[in-house]
């Protein structure tokens, strides 16, 4: 037994521990045990203190949190301790105006977009379904709505009757209104310039010679359907080279990944990104790979393993997803990533790698050696590519002046203190010793990362966090 998502130990009670009760109530519930040390050993609670806590705590939980919890005295080896059992609450709980939520073995303060998602979730609402009184039907782009109407009719979602030809009726059918107001989803789907209302609602594409050297870039704006179509056009005709092959006597152009897989990955980013985060979708094109960054996070309780396996559809933006489903662009079965992988297998191209980081998801398509040879860049893998058989690549060790791709991922992950196991998972490492010596130690020597318990390096509670210098290095790269 150890501390985790639903269990925390404290040697003695302090009112500051109400944060833990709040965090449990806002997550999956949990148990706070008073009278255990950090190793789980029972140190006990004295008789006078037990009586005081049993009398005072119910009132404090009620008055300061609005929570009712079960309090029990338990014994371990004849030594008594106090157990506080907290159930998950259907409403949001705050402690002195601050919202906490349990994540692993820590209590996280919810701020900004994370707090918005949490509060909306407690009311059964999603960000894209909220009304936006600043926009009226007359503000929407008739061409965007006509395009949606045409695609939806082709998919059999619209019948072509008079109501379907009416813009007001068209908006109401896929649930894009809230009473008398248009929703945020309708603004993103049909407004010429959704960034007037949603910061960062665009796609940024850049060509990189290495992890930090961008040579040229494009910004794609407009409604979401336009963003998908224009981004695909820019990628295929400006950023990606077509390799030349032959099928018998017929000349064939081959891209480093199937067009269908690339479009599906792009749709995944556009539909499922968190629009409450004021940052664009980023697509970084290198000589040997293409990476799509999607701002956001997985549904609560999901892991990367669950995302990559069979799973139900849980869109971050259900109304936006529904509109793209109406046009036939996506399915509604949670099989988007599987469709990408299967398309790559059929085409014989490398399957993409998916990396989950704090604040976003990276979708990376690596280019095969055959493709690189066909476009004349064989043996010229860009800085930041994976390690070779001769040793570690710059992807892992970086340079003295700038972090590598792996180090950038670790710096992002460590913006909030993390255990070494989570950092290893970010870069796919299994060997703790090699990871510490080859990647973590150089970052600590560079002053980019530090231990939270430097005097006890092997502590079970040891965490690593990004320093001010590390944040500066990360900002310079991004």
């Amino acid at each position: 037994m150890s501390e985790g998502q639903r269990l925390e130990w404290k040697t003695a009670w302090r009112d500051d521990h109400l944060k833990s009760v709040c965090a449990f109530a806002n997550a999956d519930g949990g148990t706070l045990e008073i009278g255990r040390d950090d190793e789980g050993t029972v140190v006990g609670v004295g008789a006078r203190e037990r009586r005081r806590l049993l009398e005072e705590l119910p009132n404090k939980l009620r008055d300061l949190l609005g929570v009712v919890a079960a309090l029990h005295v338990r014994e371990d080896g004849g030594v008594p301790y106090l157990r506080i059992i907290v159930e998950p609450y259907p409403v949001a709980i705050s402690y002195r105006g601050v919202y906490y939520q349990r994540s692993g073995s820590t209590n996280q303060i919810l701020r900004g977009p994370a707090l918005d998602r949490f509060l909306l979730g407690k009311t059964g609402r999603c960000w894209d379904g909220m009304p936006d009184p600043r926009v009226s039907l007359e503000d929407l782009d008739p061409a965007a709505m006509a395009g949606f109407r045409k695609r939806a009719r082709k998919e059999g979602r619209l019948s072509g009757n008079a109501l379907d030809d009416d813009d007001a009726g068209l908006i109401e059918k896929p649930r894009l209104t809230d009473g008398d107001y248009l929703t945020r989803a309708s603004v993103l789907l049909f407004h010429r310039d959704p960034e007037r209302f949603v910061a960062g609602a665009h796609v940024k594409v850049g060509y990189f010679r290495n992890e930090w050297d961008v040579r040229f870039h494009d910004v794609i704006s407009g409604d979401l359907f336009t963003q998908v179509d224009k981004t695909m056009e820019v990628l295929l005709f400006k950023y990606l080279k077509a390799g030349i092959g032959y099928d018998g006597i017929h000349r064939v152009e081959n891209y480093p990944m199937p067009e269908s897989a690339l479009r599906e990955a792009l749709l995944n980013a556009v539909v499922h990104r968190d629009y409450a985060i004021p940052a664009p979708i980023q697509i970084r094109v290198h000589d040997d790979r293409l990476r799509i960054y999607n701002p956001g996070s997985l549904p609560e309780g999901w892991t990367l393993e669950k995302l990559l396996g069979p799973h139900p559809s849980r869109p971050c933006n259900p109304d936006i997803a529904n509109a793209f489903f109406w046009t036939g662009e996506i399915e509604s079965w949670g099989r988007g990533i599987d469709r990408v992988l299967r398309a790559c297998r059929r085409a014989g191209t490398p399957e993409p790698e998916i990396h989950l980081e704090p604040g976003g998801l990276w979708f990376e398509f690596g280019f095969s050696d055959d493709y690189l040879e066909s476009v004349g860049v064989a043996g010229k893998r860009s800085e930041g590519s994976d390690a070779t058989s001769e040793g570690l690549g710059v992807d892992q060790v970086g340079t003295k002046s700038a972090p590598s791709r792996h180090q950038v991922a670790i710096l992002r992950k460590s913006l909030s203190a993390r255990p070494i196991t989570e950092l290893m998972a970010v870069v796919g490492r299994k060997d703790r010793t090699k990871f510490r010596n080859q990647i973590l130690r150089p970052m600590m020597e560079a002053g980019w990362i530090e231990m939270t318990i430097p005097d006890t390096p092997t502590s079970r509670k040891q965490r690593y966090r990004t320093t001010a210098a590390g944040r500066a290095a990360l900002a310079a790269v991004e």
Side-chain angles (χ1 to χ4, degrees):
M1 182 174 62
S2 61
E3 291 180 297
Q5 180 71 24
R6 303 191 65 179
L7 178 62
E8 186 167 1
W9 298 320
K10 298 296 181 183
T11 56
W13 174 261
R14 290 188 294 110
D15 284 353
D16 196 53
H17 299 334
L18 288 169
K19 296 175 183 178
S20 297
V21 177
C22 175
F24 283 136
N26 284 330
D28 304 320
T31 300
L32 178 63
E33 295 184 341
I34 309 300
R36 286 187 187 269
D37 64 18
D38 289 344
E39 302 301 322
T41 302
V42 173
V43 296
V45 179
R48 180 179 297 178
E49 179 70 358
R50 290 200 307 274
R51 286 193 298 271
R52 183 182 73 83
L53 291 176
L54 289 172
E55 290 176 2
E56 294 181 0
L57 275 183
N59 293 333
K60 285 186 176 180
L61 297 177
R62 180 197 63 202
D63 297 340
L64 296 177
L65 297 177
V67 165
V68 176
L71 279 69
H72 303 283
V73 176
R74 294 286 184 263
E75 290 189 359
D76 187 339
V79 181
Y81 63 96
L82 186 65
R83 176 177 290 172
I84 305 171
I85 301 175
V86 185
E87 297 295 331
Y89 263 61
V91 296
I93 303 298
S94 68
Y95 174 57
R96 301 190 184 280
V98 179
Y99 293 87
Y100 297 87
Q101 189 174 47
R102 191 72 172 177
S103 177
S105 60
T106 63
N107 302 322
Q108 300 291 326
I109 297 178
L110 297 175
R111 299 187 179 96
L115 178 58
D116 291 341
R117 286 194 303 273
F118 169 73
L119 295 176
L120 284 172
K122 288 294 185 180
T123 62
R125 305 291 295 272
C126 291
W127 183 92
D128 68 333
M130 296 298 292
D132 193 329
R134 299 171 296 174
V135 184
S136 67
L137 187 63
E138 291 72 26
D139 296 321
L140 302 186
D141 183 4
M145 299 181 71
F148 174 79
R149 182 182 289 109
K150 181 178 180 180
R151 297 185 192 193
R153 280 178 176 164
K154 185 177 180 181
E155 292 298 312
R157 305 292 175 188
L158 295 175
S159 61
N161 60 33
L163 181 61
D164 292 342
D165 288 329
D166 176 70
D167 285 346
L170 180 70
I171 289 291
E172 290 177 1
K173 278 211 164 187
R175 304 192 305 273
L176 297 175
T177 59
D178 186 309
D180 295 331
Y181 297 110
L182 299 179
T183 63
R184 291 166 171 168
S186 62
V187 175
L188 287 165
L189 291 164
F190 300 121
H191 200 280
R192 285 189 181 91
D193 185 16
E195 279 191 275
R196 285 177 52 192
F197 311 96
V198 183
H202 64 270
V203 179
K204 183 183 291 186
V205 184
Y207 169 67
F208 287 75
R209 288 297 301 272
N210 51 44
E211 197 63 38
W212 53 90
D213 181 12
V214 59
R215 292 304 176 91
F216 54 86
H217 73 277
D218 288 271
V219 175
I220 295 110
S221 302
D223 66 84
L224 297 189
F225 293 107
T226 295
Q227 287 186 32
V228 172
D229 292 339
K230 285 190 174 181
T231 300
M232 285 296 297
E233 181 180 327
V234 166
L235 287 174
L236 295 175
F237 294 102
K238 181 176 179 178
Y239 285 84
L240 294 175
K241 299 177 181 179
I244 306 301
Y246 289 89
D247 183 3
I249 62 172
H250 300 287
R251 185 175 182 268
V252 179
E253 292 187 349
N254 296 308
Y255 284 99
M257 76 291 289
E259 184 176 338
S260 62
L262 179 59
R263 188 178 186 90
E264 188 74 40
L266 175 60
L267 284 165
N268 183 79
V270 169
V271 171
H272 298 303
R273 64 153 292 181
D274 187 346
Y275 286 95
I277 298 176
I281 293 169
Q282 295 183 34
I283 303 179
R284 299 184 172 210
V285 183
H286 298 253
D287 285 335
D288 58 352
R289 64 190 187 277
L290 179 148
R291 307 169 70 196
I292 302 176
Y293 175 73
N294 174 21
S297 59
L298 296 181
E300 185 178 343
W302 282 36
T303 63
L304 187 57
E305 289 71 24
K306 181 169 183 176
L307 179 69
L308 296 176
H311 61 269
S313 179
R314 283 275 304 277
C316 177
N317 305 296
D319 293 342
I320 292 174
N322 187 50
F324 275 87
F325 171 71
W326 271 49
T327 63
E329 291 277 14
I330 66 171
E331 292 184 346
S332 61
W333 299 96
R335 300 192 303 168
I337 291 178
D338 182 59
R339 291 170 68 181
V340 174
L341 300 177
R342 285 189 285 112
C344 291
R345 292 188 202 114
R346 287 194 301 268
T349 61
E351 295 180 15
E353 296 181 3
I354 300 175
H355 306 281
L356 180 63
E357 299 177 2
L361 191 79
W362 283 102
F363 217 104
E364 180 172 327
F365 290 92
F367 301 168
S368 69
D369 290 337
D370 289 342
Y371 166 79
L372 295 177
E373 183 176 357
S374 71
V375 295
V377 294
K380 298 181 181 179
R381 289 195 176 271
S382 61
E383 291 184 51
S385 60
D386 291 337
T388 67
S389 59
E390 297 176 357
L392 297 174
V394 71
D395 224 15
Q396 295 158 300
V397 300
T399 69
K400 291 184 178 180
S401 60
S404 71
R405 180 164 61 101
H406 284 177
Q407 290 172 342
V408 166
I410 291 169
L411 288 172
R412 287 198 193 101
K413 185 75 172 178
S414 301
L415 288 173
S416 58
R418 303 284 179 172
I420 192 171
T421 51
E422 291 189 22
L423 302 184
M424 291 169 62
V426 167
V427 295
R429 285 300 195 100
K430 306 290 186 184
D431 190 309
R432 185 185 297 244
T433 301
K434 288 184 178 179
F435 173 76
R436 183 182 288 112
N437 292 338
Q438 295 175 349
I439 297 182
L440 206 55
R441 183 171 296 165
M443 295 180 71
M444 295 176 66
E445 291 173 351
W448 292 339
I449 203 166
E450 65 184 1
M451 294 181 184
T452 57
I453 314 175
D455 295 333
T456 315
T458 59
S459 170
R460 182 176 62 85
K461 293 204 165 193
Q462 185 65 263
R463 300 290 186 270
Y464 297 84
R465 64 188 169 210
T466 303
T467 64
R471 290 174 184 268
L474 185 60
V477 169
E478 296 182 335

